[in-house]
Amino acid sequence: MAEFTFELNDDQKEVRDWLHGFAADVMRPAAAEWDEREETPWPIIQEAAKLGIYSLDFYAQQFFDPTGLGVPMTMEELFWGDAGIALSIVGTGLAAVGVLANGTEEQIGTWVPQMYGDANDVKVAAFCSSEPDAGSDVASMRTRAVYDEAKDEWVLNGTKTWATNGGIANVHVVVAVVDPELGSKGHASFIVPPHTPGLSQGQKFQKHGIRASHTAEVVLEDVRVPGSCLLGGKDKLDERLARAREKAKAGSGERVKNAAMATFEASRPAVGAMAVGTARAAYEVALDYAKTRVQFGRPIIENQGVAFQLADMATQIDAARLLVWRASWMATAGKPFTKAEGSMSKLYASEVAKTVTAQAIQILGGNGYTREYPVERMHRDAAIYTIFEGTSEIQRMVIGRALGK
């Protein structure tokens, strides 16, 4: 058994420093511009692709890091650079995780590379789960997928919302209802290939934060996809639905995971790492400012009220990172989240990001409230972490249920 350590190894440090350089030299100088433009920063995604950061190979290397720390380390550094640009770079990963969590080897090999493209022709992908009337309440999902046995095709109809890269993606992964009587247990995930008729972009949202990341509705009108686009295959789906029906008849309380939940479970520690990156960025700005801002003849960090705030910020960020690292290590080691440790990491880190960015504004005072300093943008960006991929309220519910078993 390897010796227990919190120290990153030399390879991890090299990757961390490489990512940090990209975040500092490429992302940060462009952050304010793309936030104002509220557009996908294609030139920066392409630059990331040329360097090998935006690529299937890079994320696969981090995903298969035996310590489990490759992905959270990557997320923290990129989101330290800028949350909106970072989400435009890593947003494809949620769709990729959806395929990795539910797809066959053939489906993974066919579709995941098409989600990224290459350095000369970058592509993005979208994971489409939420709906106008079904966000946290996935059992209320209405998008339907009906099997046309004669043509071996699935026909999808419905509207998805809050989809990162929705409508502009090369590949869409869509969660739909295949058996309404089973509620959330009757869901399945489908690949919608490029240029499939019937899929269109609906409303593009103008957001409070993460404005460089494209978020939109995805409208599905008689979208036909081949049977091979059902993630996991029809045999596996039929077996899962049959088990769910038998348990429903028997009145079993055993929970059956659906496709969307499998994706969110796998991604929650990564979202926690995003929040840690944003919190750390705001803390560092506030710390530097407190050391150089002189009031009443001395730097404001020498005032206990400011120093104590910074002490709390540093402690909370470190605690959030440790929860994220623990959950990431557990997932890689195959250890079950018996106390919903993945949700714990996402919950705490998200709340810390909101708190720390607000404290950073307070320390900068009037300057912090202006767009001349980045903490105003970081505070707007941080608000999303307690909302997307499971609100803080949902995380508390998941944790409470786990503790009550």
Side-chain angles (χ1 to χ4, degrees):
M1 181 179 292
E3 180 182 353
F4 179 80
T5 179
F6 283 121
E7 184 74 18
L8 297 177
N9 61 42
D10 290 342
D11 289 341
Q12 290 169 327
K13 289 178 182 177
E14 184 177 351
V15 171
R16 179 198 61 191
D17 294 345
W18 173 53
L19 292 169
H20 188 82
F22 176 79
D25 299 338
V26 179
M27 296 172 66
R28 281 208 168 177
E33 174 190 349
W34 290 100
D35 177 71
E36 291 289 342
R37 291 175 64 167
E38 297 190 57
E39 296 175 358
T40 300
W42 290 108
I44 298 179
I45 298 174
Q46 187 167 33
E47 183 66 21
K50 288 179 179 177
L51 294 174
I53 294 172
Y54 185 76
S55 72
L56 173 59
D57 288 345
F58 173 71
Y59 287 108
Q61 288 173 14
Q62 304 317 307
F63 185 81
F64 291 111
D65 181 332
T67 69
L69 301 185
V71 170
M73 180 185 66
T74 296
M75 296 301 173
E76 180 176 337
E77 292 304 326
L78 292 178
F79 280 75
W80 172 89
D82 177 69
I85 293 175
L87 193 58
S88 73
I89 293 173
V90 308
T92 292
L94 186 59
V97 169
V99 177
L100 291 167
N102 302 295
T104 65
E105 289 187 9
E106 182 178 356
Q107 289 169 332
I108 292 169
T110 298
W111 296 111
V112 176
Q114 294 187 47
M115 294 179 174
Y116 289 93
D118 57 45
N120 296 316
D121 185 21
V122 294
K123 305 291 185 184
V124 294
F127 183 75
C128 308
S129 178
S130 293
E131 298 183 1
D133 296 318
S136 298
D137 182 11
V138 294
S140 297
M141 190 177 293
R142 295 180 181 177
T143 297
R144 286 296 309 275
V146 177
Y147 185 55
D148 183 343
E149 189 170 359
K151 295 184 178 180
D152 185 26
E153 292 179 339
W154 289 89
V155 185
L156 279 63
N157 282 282
T159 299
K160 294 296 182 178
T161 193
W162 311 125
T164 298
N165 298 329
I168 66 171
N170 193 51
V171 176
H172 291 75
V173 178
V174 177
V175 182
V177 179
V178 293
D179 189 333
E181 295 182 0
L182 292 175
S184 62
K185 301 177 182 68
H187 296 176
S189 289
F190 299 85
I191 291 285
V192 180
H195 312 300
T196 299
L199 184 147
S200 62
Q201 179 184 308
Q203 177 187 4
K204 177 186 174 182
F205 296 103
Q206 293 181 300
K207 305 188 297 296
H208 176 64
I210 55 166
R211 301 199 303 188
S213 173
H214 175 97
T215 310
E217 290 181 329
V218 174
V219 180
L220 304 141
E221 298 177 300
D222 291 328
V223 172
R224 285 183 168 268
V225 299
S228 60
C229 287
L230 166 63
L231 290 180
K234 194 167 186 305
D235 289 344
K236 185 177 179 180
L237 173 64
D238 289 342
E239 290 174 8
R240 178 166 62 80
L241 295 178
R243 289 198 305 271
R245 293 186 191 107
E246 286 300 317
K247 286 168 184 171
K249 284 182 183 178
S252 171
E254 185 176 344
R255 294 172 61 83
V256 178
K257 292 178 183 176
N258 63 53
M261 291 301 100
T263 301
F264 291 140
E265 270 190 24
S267 64
R268 278 171 181 157
V271 176
M274 298 174 188
V276 170
T278 300
R280 189 184 111 209
Y283 159 75
E284 289 177 1
V285 172
L287 178 61
D288 289 344
Y289 186 87
K291 288 178 177 179
T292 57
R293 173 70 167 172
V294 175
Q295 292 288 278
F296 305 104
R298 61 181 181 176
I300 62 173
I301 197 171
E302 294 182 14
N303 297 314
Q304 191 178 74
V306 173
F308 277 17
Q309 283 193 74
L310 289 164
D312 287 343
M313 292 159 75
T315 301
Q316 291 165 352
I317 291 167
D318 275 11
R321 183 184 297 108
L322 289 173
L323 281 171
V324 167
W325 281 18
R326 179 184 69 168
S328 301
W329 170 78
M330 288 178 68
T332 299
K335 296 185 179 296
F337 291 160
T338 57
K339 294 190 293 184
E341 287 87 350
S343 288
M344 283 184 179
S345 69
K346 198 267 185 186
L347 168 65
Y348 188 73
S350 297
E351 296 291 344
V352 164
K354 285 185 67 175
T355 300
V356 166
T357 54
Q359 287 176 308
I361 290 177
Q362 190 68 26
I363 290 171
L364 269 68
N367 286 329
Y369 199 65
T370 70
R371 295 193 180 181
E372 184 179 351
Y373 288 80
V375 292
E376 174 272 339
R377 184 181 68 253
M378 293 168 183
H379 184 53
R380 287 189 286 108
D381 291 341
I384 194 60
Y385 298 126
T386 62
I387 298 172
F388 73 173
E389 294 196 47
T391 64
S392 287
E393 291 74 21
I394 288 294
Q395 305 307 328
R396 290 185 175 99
M397 185 174 70
V398 171
I399 295 164
R401 284 177 176 171
L403 297 178
K405 286 183 179 178

